[in-house]
Structure formats: C-alpha cells, structure tokens
Amino acid sequence: MHTWERKTDPVLLGVGLLFLVGWALPIVLPQLPENTDLWLDRAQQTAWALFAADYAIRVWLSDRRGHFVATHLPSLLVVLLPLLRPLAVLRSLLLLTALMRRVTLPLRMRVTVYVSGWACFLALVGAIAVLDAERRSAEPTIVTLSDALWWSLTTMTTVGYGDLYPTTLEGRLIAATLMLSGIALLGVVTASIAAWFVERFQQSSAAETRTEADLRLVLAELEEVRARLDELAEQRRGDGSGTTAGSR
C-alpha cells in the first residue's frame, strides 16, 4: 500500500487542485455560462470518483482493512457524504505536506512553511465555503468574496470585529472550524517562537560556559608558566651564588 500511495500522491494532488477549481469557481464567479458550470460540475464528479477509487484501492491493499477504515474515517466520510466533498481539498493539502517532507529543510523552516500553508489554505477555503453558505441566507451579511476573506481572517485570528458574521447553520459550523483551526495554528506559531528563544538562550549559555572553561584553562596555564618561571629564577639565583662562592 505504501508503494501505491507513494506513486499516486502527486496525481491525487493534481486531482485535489482540480476539485478545488471546480468547486470554487462557480461560487466566486456565479455568473459563469451554463456550459462552464456543467464542465466544472463534471470536473468535481470526476475528482470525487478518483478519490473514491483511490480509497477503495487502499482499503483493498491494506493488510488490516478494518483498522484502516477505522483510522481513515474522514476519507470515508468525504466519499460517502456529498456535503463533505469540499473536505477533499484538505486531502490535497495533506498530500502537499507529505510531498514537502521529501524536501530537506531545517525543522523550523518546515514548521513555518506548514503553518503558513495551512493558514492561507484554510482562510481561502473557509471564505469560499461561507460565501456559498451565506448566499442562501435571507439576511446575509457576507455577500462578496472580499467580505468573506475579511471575515475569514478576523475569525481565524480570533479578532472577531462583529461587522460580518454568518447567519446560517452551515456558516456557523464553518466559523467554529476556523476558530479552532486559528487557535491551533496560533499555538503552533507561539510554540515555535518560544522554542527559538529557548534554543538561542541555550546556545548563549553554552557559549558562555565554553568561554569560562577556556578562561580557566588559560589561567591554569598561566599559573603553570609563572611557577616555571619562578623555579627557573630560583635556579639561576642558586647557580649565581655557587659561582660567586667558588671564585672566592
């Protein structure tokens, strides 16, 4: 199964992006020609069918199929429930994250890339999803894409000005997801910054410790040199006294 996943991850990433385009364009541009809407809907259906086929193949290839199904419930729900099909876009980001692991980067750089990618992706998807949900509301406050993006950013950062807010149940569920995601991402960023400061302090402390050890070593060597010089001086004085006594 690992071989199958390794070979199909790049393909499924492209499929996920295809699904994202087919899902988002009719929402962002509601006045598209009817034929375009039809083709975009077919693109979504094709992407969903490919995800469903991939899930079925992975279940078939798994040694413990029951355990695989139990530990991959989100993938199963995306396949079974049409309302959750936009979550297939999240699988695309997970695939992108898996591909990024193959790139050799420092740990802090990888954390920065992951958090930034997740934040931008969730903000964009949340904005498009809430825009789609609120257009079916009787008294919507979020009516344009710019409104949705502003609301998404203020929700994820837990600012919540209150000028824009969802009025539908679906929109409020999306808002709750963005709030929790924003708190989680903020926690990751805070932990990363704290770890950086701790690492810097540890490096500074280690450097100071090494400097103190080097100074003690230098002082000890100087003491040895001084003692040696004193010993040589005593010997010279002793030799000088012996020479003077012999000459007499």
Side-chain angles (χ1 to χ4, degrees), residues 130-131 134-135 137-144 147-148 151 162-168:
V130 81
L131 180 63
E134 292 303 298
R135 280 179 176 167
S137 173
E139 299 179 355
T141 63
I142 303 173
V143 294
T144 64
D147 289 343
W151 169 85
D163 53 343
L164 301 171
Y165 53 89
T167 58
T168 62

Side-chain angles (χ1 to χ4, degrees), residues 17 35 61 64 69-70 123 127 132 136 218 231:
L17 294 177
N35 291 336
L61 295 176
R64 301 167 58 190
V69 173
D132 183 41
R136 295 189 289 271
V218 170
E231 182 180 348

Side-chain angles (χ1 to χ4, degrees), residues 5 8-14 16 51 88-101:
E5 291 179 347
T8 57
D9 277 352
V11 177
L12 291 178
L13 176 60
F51 276 122
V89 182
L90 295 179
R91 174 165 168 77
S92 301
L93 186 63
L94 292 175
L95 292 173
L96 181 61
T97 303
L99 293 177
M100 283 293 296
R101 292 195 190 101

Side-chain angles (χ1 to χ4, degrees), residues 13 33 39 50 68 77 103 117 120 131 140 150 174 183 189 207 232 244:
L13 176 60
W39 281 106
L50 291 174
F68 180 88
L77 293 177
V103 180
C120 295
L131 180 63
W150 172 251
I174 296 170
I183 293 172
V189 172
L232 292 174
T244 302

Side-chain angles (χ1 to χ4, degrees), residues 38-225:
L38 179 62
W39 281 106
L40 291 174
D41 183 67
R42 289 179 178 176
Q44 289 186 64
Q45 298 297 331
T46 301
W48 170 81
L50 291 174
F51 276 122
D54 171 70
Y55 180 82
I57 292 173
R58 286 189 295 138
V59 171
W60 177 259
L61 295 176
S62 178
D63 296 331
R64 301 167 58 190
R65 295 173 184 172
H67 180 266
F68 180 88
V69 173
T71 55
H72 293 75
L73 287 178
S75 298
L76 178 61
L77 293 177
V78 166
V79 172
L80 295 181
L81 301 178
L83 292 177
L84 297 180
R85 288 181 188 175
L87 292 179
V89 182
L90 295 179
R91 174 165 168 77
S92 301
L93 186 63
L94 292 175
L95 292 173
L96 181 61
T97 303
L99 293 177
M100 283 293 296
R101 292 195 190 101
R102 303 179 185 178
V103 180
T104 303
L105 290 174
L107 178 60
R108 190 175 297 109
M109 182 66 69
R110 269 186 287 169
V111 171
T112 303
V113 171
Y114 292 163
V115 171
S116 301
W118 271 103
C120 295
F121 183 82
L122 289 176
L124 178 61
V125 172
I128 296 173
V130 81
L131 180 63
D132 183 41
E134 292 303 298
R135 280 179 176 167
R136 295 189 289 271
S137 173
E139 299 179 355
T141 63
I142 303 173
V143 294
T144 64
L145 181 61
S146 61
D147 289 343
L149 288 172
W150 172 251
W151 169 85
S152 181
L153 291 175
T154 57
T155 301
M156 286 194 67
T157 54
T158 66
V159 174
Y161 287 110
D163 53 343
L164 301 171
Y165 53 89
T167 58
T168 62
L169 176 60
E170 184 179 350
R172 289 171 181 171
L173 291 175
I174 296 170
T177 302
L178 288 181
M179 291 174 193
L180 295 176
S181 301
I183 293 172
L185 292 175
L186 181 61
V188 172
V189 172
T190 304
S192 179
I193 294 174
W196 181 81
F197 277 111
V198 170
E199 182 179 347
R200 296 295 296 178
F201 289 148
Q202 289 177 345
Q203 291 176 353
S204 299
S205 177
E208 291 176 358
T209 303
R210 288 194 299 269
T211 301
E212 293 176 358
D214 292 340
L215 286 175
R216 286 194 295 268
L217 181 60
V218 170
L219 290 175
E221 291 177 351
L222 289 175
E223 289 293 336
E224 292 179 2
V225 171

